[in-house]
Amino acid sequence: MKISKTSYTQITKKFLVALLFFSLGINAWSQNNIDPNKVEREKKIKALEAESFVLMFFQEGYHAALGYRFGDFRIRASVAAMKGTDVEVNMFSNGESNFERYFDDISAGVFFDYFLWKNLHVYTFIDTQNWLIVNKENGQEKNMRTIDTGLGIGYQFFIGRKERLYIQPSFHTYVRGKKETTVGGGKYSIPQLDPVLSFRIGFRFKTFK
């Protein structure tokens, strides 16, 4: 069952706002319990991390990513799908009114992170997205694949002194070339910019010395 655009927008906003305040509270607590040698250790860290944008599992989809952190750099690979939510209408834009657009199997990407300060990082990425485009007037469907890139910023909020479990809010924008297709007799043009706000839950399950 597909969640309506209006309800999804409301649910997403409430979910993200609640997580943001929770993350800020956790970060404030951790700052009062910080190890004085932590910053120096972060410059030398080598770790394996797994994370997920868990909201996708509630939208008839999935998301999983595996990353390797080495010093100020990290590389991540991810796969995702989200068939239960029309991303053509989201909290940032209205999109094409006569069409619906869904993440279809399989969208995959590689992310390259650089840590500017503590756990604050900027990143770039390249994604191959497989979209399902639906003409709302007649229900006709068609797949479209795009190659996307872009820039983003995020922060890892670790929970606990062992710094294993973390919450990672981030914001990035997909950038793609102009692309059109005909679906059910109507012409569809995919947006060239797709801003995305996400909260990933991750776990650092291996640290290398």
Side-chain angles (χ1 to χ4, degrees):
M1 179 178 179
K2 296 176 181 177
I3 296 178
S4 70
K5 302 166 190 175
T6 302
S7 63
Y8 170 71
T9 298
Q10 294 173 346
I11 291 171
T12 302
K13 284 182 177 179
K14 291 179 180 179
F15 176 77
L16 294 180
V17 169
L19 273 178
L20 176 60
F21 279 103
F22 178 73
S23 300
L24 291 174
I26 291 295
N27 186 56
W29 174 86
S30 64
Q31 291 301 314
N32 293 327
N33 296 272
I34 193 168
D35 184 334
N37 297 317
K38 179 181 177 181
V39 176
E40 190 62 30
R41 291 202 312 270
E42 286 176 345
K43 294 180 179 179
K44 302 177 182 178
I45 195 169
K46 296 179 181 178
L48 201 60
E49 300 173 348
E51 58 189 40
S52 176
F53 184 19
V54 294
L55 190 61
M56 283 190 172
F57 289 93
F58 298 96
Q59 308 299 321
E60 300 179 25
Y62 60 85
H63 176 272
L66 188 64
Y68 178 65
R69 168 85 182 267
F70 48 102
D72 292 333
F73 298 91
R74 181 175 60 168
I75 183 170
R76 293 176 288 161
S78 68
V79 292
M82 190 168 64
K83 298 180 180 179
T85 299
D86 176 14
V87 298
E88 194 65 27
V89 175
N90 54 52
M91 69 184 76
F92 298 105
S93 61
N94 291 323
E96 289 274 4
S97 60
N98 296 326
F99 296 89
E100 297 176 349
R101 174 165 53 109
Y102 302 91
F103 284 103
D104 205 6
D105 292 332
I106 294 174
S107 297
V110 179
F111 292 69
F112 304 93
D113 305 304
Y114 177 71
F115 287 81
L116 297 169
W117 174 76
K118 295 184 178 180
N119 296 312
L120 177 67
H121 55 280
V122 292
Y123 57 91
T124 186
F125 58 88
I126 183 168
D127 263 351
T128 171
Q129 308 277 16
N130 187 30
W131 305 102
L132 178 66
I133 313 300
V134 181
N135 187 318
K136 292 192 292 187
E137 293 183 353
N138 51 40
Q140 293 295 306
E141 302 177 350
K142 189 173 184 179
N143 282 97
M144 172 189 285
R145 183 166 290 278
T146 60
I147 302 297
D148 305 342
T149 186
L151 297 173
I153 185 169
Y155 195 94
Q156 285 180 305
F157 294 95
F158 281 92
I159 301 173
R161 290 177 177 270
K162 292 185 178 180
E163 297 191 347
R164 295 296 185 184
L165 183 67
Y166 63 87
I167 298 172
Q168 182 174 271
S170 63
F171 176 82
H172 62 256
T173 299
Y174 292 106
V175 181
R176 63 180 66 94
K178 185 176 181 180
K179 195 167 187 178
E180 297 179 340
T181 188
T182 301
V183 186
K187 182 176 289 187
Y188 171 79
S189 298
I190 194 167
Q192 292 181 269
L193 297 176
D194 260 336
V196 176
L197 177 64
S198 71
F199 275 80
R200 297 186 179 192
I201 296 177
F203 190 80
R204 180 176 289 174
F205 59 88
K206 182 66 176 177
T207 303
F208 302 93
K209 295 182 178 180

